[in-house]
Amino acid sequence: MAFVTASWNPLGEAFYRKIELYEMGWNLREGLRNCQIAAAPYGGPIALLKEPQRSSPSARPQLEIYTSSGSPMASFMWKSGVVKQLGWTISDDLLCVQEDGTVLVYDLFGSFKRHFSMGNELVQSHVLEAKIFHSPYGTGIAVLSGAYRFILATNIEDIKLRRLPEVPGLQGVPSCWTVLSQDRQTKVLLANGSDLYILDNTACTPVSPSGFSSQATNIIQVAGSFSYKYLALFTDSGHVWMGSANLKEKLCEVDTKMRTPPSQMAWCWRPKSQQPSVVIMWEKYLLVVGPCKDTIQYNLDNESVLVPELDSVRIISGTHHELLQEVPAVSEEIFKIASMAPGALLLEAHKEYEKESQKADEYLREIKEQDRLGDAVKQCVEAAGYEHEPETQKMLLRAASFGKCFLSNFRPEQFVCTCRDLRVLNAVRDYTVGIPLTLQQYKQMTVQVLIDRLVYRKLYPLAIEICRYLKIPEYQGVSRVLKHWACCKVQQKEEADEVIARMVSLKLGETAGISYSDIAARAYECGRTELAIKLLEFEPRSGEQVPLLLKMKRSQLALSKAIESGDTDLVYTVVTYLKNEMNRGDFFMTLRNQPIALSLYRQFCKHQEQDTLKDLFNQDDDHQELGNFYVRASYQEGRLDTRMSCLQNAMDEYNKAKNEFNAKATEEEMRLLRFQRRLEEEKGERMVGCSLQDTLHCLLIVGLHKQAEQLYKDFRVPDKRYWWLKLNALAEKEDWEEMEKFSKTKKSPIGYLPFVDVCMKHHNKYEARKYVSKVTPEQKVKAHIAVGDLEGAADAAIERRNEGEISLVLSHCSATTDRTIVDRLNRTRATAGKK
Amino acid sequence: MAHSSRKDAPDLPDFSLLKRIARDQLIYLLEQLPGKKDLFIEADLMSPLDRIANVTTLKEHEVDKLYKVDHKPVYSTSDQLCFLIRPRIQTVKWIADIVNTDKAAGKLRSYKIIFSPQKFYVCEAVLEEQGIYGDVSTDEWAFHLLPLDDDIISLELPEFFRDNFLEGDQRWVTTAGSALHLLHSVYGPFSKVYGIGRCAKMVYESWREQGKEGEKKTAQSEIGTVFLVDRDVDFVTPLCSQVVYEGLVDDIFRIKCGSVEFTPDVTSSEKSVKVMLNSQDKVFGEIRNEHFSNVFGLLSQKARNLQTAYDRRRGMDIKQMKTFVSEELKGLKQEHHLLSLHIGASESMVKRKTKQDFQELLKTEHSLLEGFEIRECISYIEEHINRQVSMIDSLRLLCLLSLTENGLLPKDYRSLKAQYLQSYGTEHLLTFANLRQLGLLVEQQAGETLTVMESKVGKLVNDKTVGKLTDAFSSLAKKSNFRALSKRLVLVPKPMEEYDLRTPRDMAYIFSGAYIPLSCKLIEQVLEREGWTGLEEVTRLLNGNEFVGSAGGGSESGRTTDSRRIILVMFLGGCSYSEISALRFLGKEKGYKFIVVTTAVINGARLLEAMLDNYG
């Protein structure tokens, strides 16, 4: 396999290879000269700010955005201030740090998103230099002000500006500096001549790298590794110091013999690899330096930039895009010339097999004899993952698949996963997409992030394809992509609301985990309220519709949606909102049209705001309810005169409501209260608050017959009621004489049986008997029984020849003592029966 | 029960699981507040809580002292206060006062409010208004269902009735929906859901909504059919005097959360005795569903049996005696104790109920149900009011009169109302307003004209709109249509027929053979027809809102026939013990097993008490 190793260059123990990723699609007349460039890591987009060719004051620079393969994504004239630094955020937004400290944020397609400032002092002192960096907290910015102070923002999504301490003796721009993220702190490392300082929140600490032999020389270039764990320093004597980021541990020191200051320096160190190395670039010259005497040198055709990655360095020039990386150990084992590693043998075996040569068997046997076929397969699979060329990937995977046939119980996961991952990677590495990720980078960034990035690029079909292919749960996968698509769709101003709403609903349908309210919220943010409302119609959960409707000030609609949902809490939320937003009149009017909300609010008012309740009824001219309200109030009132005035109000309201009955009842209640008060004042009898009946009863009991008589007449108490009352009161007092007199005043409207009953209730048989004779014939039997006179009862019953009455008497008779009566009754019954 | 019942009736599901779920959740909530704490419990949560977790359990989870919420200042020294309350504004305000008092005094404590069964936005709004939203942590104890017996589950929400039907406040609909959801997820999936009533429909929808979010359960279904019914479909039944033993006990002694306190005149001792009334009590189990006239007979039979059991110890040798004492005696003694209690209770009831006036009360009620001798009934009611026999009973009779007669004649209405006010006080103006709104006690007037208008409009527009219009009209003047319903469903058996209460032939026995409860009859009819077909006229008279829903939980084939004959009836707004007895009877006749889920167990008195405005 000569051609695989052709691009390999040895450095110490390892090999390095440079692979061409793309031939750039852009057409840059001047290459990368005269422009600022920012390329995002993880195969991200590239931004170019081209200085105007004619240096006239009216000429403006051009900002262009490309994919990693150089396909244009956006291009526009830069009309804002002087840009000091370009950079990308972790969510693929472009940051442009201006001289005055303002940072402008654009999306991938060059549309302006927002801006923020790195501090007001920069308007005066200006930004001298700026760096954009990534840390676990997000994307940060560090600027060096004209006063030689560093200002830091760790996360641009949540801006907290930090002004780092002054560096003693710093009179000019430091020769080089970088941002480090260590121990959950963001620090700045800077070199001023030969002095090194670390700046953190509180202090500026001078440091010196351990074992640095060329102390006296100036440090002119510094580079932190991708993980901020390591640091490389370049001195004007051409020495490179490589060591840990805290400078306490030295990895190596190399003399490059180059005295000219390099244009860029970057770490190129694959995680887990034993050999640290740094790539240093001069104008036409690239050097790979490691812990050995040798270096690898490449000549560069034209001006380039280095983009450090997790496991490699990308080199972008005006025409090409290349990847420089250490050859992975496993690839080395397989492809190294004359390698006897099992993977290499398996690859050979498979090649022979394809050629239908029996040598295949020999190779296989050799591996099997060492019992290393499993390892061989694993090696081939792993190596396939490191290859960029699909042909090479296939070759290795086929070999692995071939080897697998001779193994039983070989776990297929690694093979299957690698195939899948490679398929996804090949898809995104494609020229048209232009995301040149390595497997290791892909693993680090995760599928979720990759899908996000595709979504940012509006590559929705590909994103969905990948989600489906990898069987990502809908909620995290397809649904999320569709939601982004819809959010993007609603921003297309040229299309009509109806069209968009229909398209969105058609595509999204009932897909699980889609929140139409989120999409509607986006539409609303873009100022398309009508569209938002249309989209909300598709939202099945009313709870989600209501808050947005409120935000859009569609409170009426929100209210009806809330009511539709049947969730009273939701209704109440809207009601409280309305109460604060609207004036009272409108608020009440709105409620009036929504009975459910109204009753809910009434319930609340009953407990919390009695007066509002009154206002509510007033508004509706609901005099009936107002009357009830005042009656209720009167009973909650302790003082008599307030109570009276409440009742007066109630009466007025009832009159307005044309409820004569209630008006009269309240009027009578007032009269009664007045009467009771007078009585209390005159006679000292406490009866305020009693009902008419109870008042009468009290009066009769204490013997105030005259007053009772007066009440009876004044309130036109029915005769029957009055008789019952008086009868009971007299019996209670056991005033039998008065009772007898009373019975004779006129014919009793309630008959005389109650007299009998009442007397018997008070165990006065003697008195009871007096009234038996007065009882009507129909009740005679009952009266006799009541006083215990069975004889009489029997007589009466027989006289009336009433079957039912005879049975009634019989039921009261006992067979032993009332023999004769029983016989008589039975006889009568018999004769009656005959007739 | 004396008559034979079908042997193939399926077994009831085990509802103690519900208690366990509630208890575990409560314990979890208490553990969220580590350390010693004082617990304040809402008065009407006390008894239900007692069924779920006793004091020892609470103490085990670092509850120090227990208090009843009494809306008075608090004297607690604990630095953690925990409140277990219903989501009511007054209670929240009271807590706010406590917190604010503490704040003013510079006392630092932590507060936690546990709302049961759920919290309402209004409560949080009050906390916010009182400026203590940040000082108090809140939580929910989703204690929806309390099994009172093997076949009775209560939501213990008496306010459901007034809030929903009178105030038009639908806040409890979701609660009922969640309760149904819980039952569905534990004992479901249900295969068929029938229902009638506006609230029933909303509960059904709320449950469906919640069901969507949850996962589908594939396990064996234990409850197949569900019937949801609004209380306002049938007001007549709970307003009738109860004459079945359990109902009578409730009417006279008031059963609270499945237990009753027998007064000294029942226990024939100094103290009152609290007794749990459920199927665990063998004596009670035999008489609970019996018409009162049979109870004595059964009790004396029981007494005789007991005596024989006791007597067996004569002629035993030592060994037999030993096993007798260790195994049987305790049970016999317990039975003896209960028997004497129930005999005492029956005696006390007889004393009250065989009196002349009770007989006449019953007679009047029966006349009203039959629509017979109405004028006599009215004068009886008048006398009842005049003599101030009982504020609630008078009201109950008035409502029965109005319901059965489709409203009172204006003349009668006015005179009876005036007399009522004179007897029991003018404040009842409010009560009358409430009853009118609910349609329990109305004046005949616009009703007729409405019907005429309805039919006229009906000819002009299509059916669907008629339905809506009818809806609108009926909410204007709620008509009970009792007479027509009674005729159609044959609720009142022909008078003068002998009715043997010992061996009842239909559900009418629970009202001495005078009336088959409308609610239960509806259930019977719908189950028989497997839907509402053929009942169109009936549902029209009931203002519609009937529905059938297949619960959509899997295929029909996976169900055992057993589960289909286990029927869950959910009463929204409460049901009475008489209705439960009637359903038990129906179940025995047809081989069903009914499970009654109710927002609360009610009777006529409690129903009407909810209509009073508590003033002063």
Side-chain angles (χ1 to χ4, degrees), chain A residues 540 568-569 572-573 576 596 599-600 603-604 606-608 625 628 631-632 635-636 654 661-662 665-666 669 691-694 715 717-718 720-721 724 782, chain B residues 89-90 93 119-122 126 129 163 167-171 383 385-388 414 417-419 421-427 429-430 433 613 615-616:
Chain A
T568 45
D569 274 3
Y572 199 77
T573 318
T576 351
I596 288 170
S599 41
L600 204 67
Q603 278 278 75
F604 173 72
K606 256 184 210 168
H607 293 292
Q608 281 289 71
E625 279 296 340
N628 292 348
V631 171
R632 198 171 291 120
Y635 284 97
Q636 283 161 349
Y654 283 136
F661 181 90
N662 282 13
T666 29
E669 174 71 4
S691 73
L692 179 62
Q693 174 116 345
D694 293 342
F715 286 88
V717 175
K720 278 188 185 173
R721 173 190 295 273
W724 271 113
K782 275 188 194 160
Chain B
I89 293 177
Q90 298 121 289
K93 266 166 103 178
K119 71 179 157 203
F120 288 130
Y121 177 77
V122 194
V126 171
E129 223 172 83
D163 282 348
E167 314 274 8
D169 178 348
Q170 299 164 344
R171 68 171 82 181
E383 192 184 311
I385 295 170
N386 283 340
R387 293 173 59 191
Q388 279 183 306
R414 266 155 221 221
K417 187 168 161 190
Q419 299 198 43
L421 295 182
Q422 285 190 353
S423 274
Y424 302 113
T426 318
E427 63 265 36
L429 271 180
L430 303 174
D613 274 325
Y615 22 76

Side-chain angles (χ1 to χ4, degrees), chain A residues 351-362:
Chain A
K351 272 185 202 156
E352 296 302 329
Y353 170 75
E354 297 252 280
K355 281 189 235 159
E356 298 181 13
S357 145
Q358 89 277 10
K359 272 193 188 161
D361 186 48
E362 279 171 35

Side-chain angles (χ1 to χ4, degrees), chain A residues 187-401:
Chain A
K187 301 172 182 176
V188 167
L189 177 110
L190 75 145
N192 189 16
S194 58
D195 302 326
L196 268 178
Y197 300 94
I198 284 190
L199 272 174
D200 59 19
N201 285 350
T202 49
C204 173
T205 326
V207 284
S208 62
S210 136
F212 194 33
S213 61
S214 42
Q215 299 259 348
T217 52
N218 290 334
I219 296 161
I220 52 171
Q221 188 70 265
V222 56
S225 71
F226 203 77
S227 60
Y228 298 113
K229 273 190 192 145
Y230 301 97
L231 204 64
L233 304 170
F234 188 90
T235 66
D236 58 0
S237 61
H239 282 79
V240 180
W241 181 91
M242 291 154 73
S244 65
N246 57 15
L247 301 161
K248 284 181 182 144
E249 201 180 311
K250 181 174 143 183
L251 291 167
C252 63
E253 201 177 314
V254 182
D255 184 5
T256 61
K257 308 204 170 60
M258 296 286 292
R259 294 299 169 94
T260 38
S263 60
Q264 219 182 335
M265 179 162 81
W267 281 84
C268 176
W269 191 4
R270 177 192 305 283
K272 285 182 199 154
S273 149
Q274 288 304 311
Q275 178 166 306
S277 61
V278 167
V279 181
I280 310 167
M281 184 174 73
W282 288 265
E283 201 178 342
K284 297 262 172 174
Y285 193 61
L286 196 71
L287 207 62
V288 185
V289 184
C292 56
K293 280 187 209 140
D294 313 324
T295 56
I296 306 171
Q297 296 164 24
Y298 294 103
N299 288 317
L300 295 173
D301 295 337
N302 45 37
E303 200 160 310
S304 304
V305 284
L306 299 179
V307 187
E309 290 279 8
L310 173 71
D311 56 348
S312 54
V313 171
R314 283 187 288 132
I315 306 155
I316 301 171
S317 76
T319 54
H320 287 85
H321 192 162
E322 292 170 309
L323 180 85
L324 176 66
Q325 64 173 176
E326 185 196 324
V327 175
V330 62
S331 308
E332 192 186 318
E333 288 207 335
I334 289 179
F335 293 118
K336 206 161 71 177
I337 293 161
S339 167
M340 291 299 280
L345 291 176
L346 180 60
L347 189 63
E348 250 351 273
H350 180 245
K351 272 185 202 156
E352 296 302 329
Y353 170 75
E354 297 252 280
K355 281 189 235 159
E356 298 181 13
S357 145
Q358 89 277 10
K359 272 193 188 161
D361 186 48
E362 279 171 35
Y363 283 122
L364 261 181
R365 198 165 304 173
E366 198 174 332
I367 310 170
K368 272 182 155 174
E369 269 163 17
Q370 298 170 23
D371 198 17
R372 295 196 64 186
L373 188 53
D375 293 340
V377 174
K378 273 185 205 147
Q379 279 190 342
C380 285
V381 173
E382 198 188 335
Y386 290 118
E387 292 307 316
H388 261 252
E389 274 308 312
E391 280 313 314
T392 324
Q393 294 165 3
K394 278 185 203 161
M395 179 178 77
L396 287 163
L397 287 171
R398 280 204 191 101
S401 161

Side-chain angles (χ1 to χ4, degrees), chain A residues 540-659:
Chain A
R541 296 159 300 168
S542 315
E544 298 292 311
Q545 297 173 321
V546 172
L548 184 61
L549 285 171
L550 281 182
K551 210 163 130 198
M552 298 193 297
K553 309 243 178 282
R554 297 300 165 110
S555 36
Q556 302 276 356
L557 194 58
L559 189 57
S560 28
K561 286 283 173 204
I563 288 167
E564 226 170 80
S565 78
D567 180 348
T568 45
D569 274 3
L570 210 53
V571 178
Y572 199 77
T573 318
V574 182
V575 170
T576 351
Y577 176 86
L578 293 178
K579 190 174 138 197
N580 298 331
E581 285 292 302
M582 294 176 148
N583 67 43
R584 244 176 182 211
D586 292 347
F587 174 55
F588 287 166
M589 212 54 187
T590 311
L591 285 185
R592 201 169 156 180
N593 298 326
Q594 297 285 5
I596 288 170
L598 180 63
S599 41
L600 204 67
Y601 187 61
R602 272 194 195 161
Q603 278 278 75
F604 173 72
C605 288
K606 256 184 210 168
H607 293 292
Q608 281 289 71
E609 296 172 14
Q610 295 272 348
D611 287 339
T612 316
L613 195 62
K614 198 167 75 188
D615 296 344
L616 256 173
F617 295 140
N618 251 325
Q619 163 95 10
D620 284 0
D621 287 331
D622 191 342
H623 298 296
Q624 175 68 32
E625 279 296 340
L626 271 172
N628 292 348
F629 174 81
Y630 283 120
V631 171
R632 198 171 291 120
S634 87
Y635 284 97
Q636 283 161 349
E637 195 49 66
R639 287 176 46 226
L640 195 60
D641 32 350
T642 353
R643 203 164 154 181
M644 290 293 253
S645 69
C646 277
L647 285 171
Q648 180 64 47
N649 285 339
M651 193 177 94
D652 294 346
E653 294 299 339
Y654 283 136
N655 274 326
K656 280 186 208 155
K658 300 219 163 45
N659 189 335

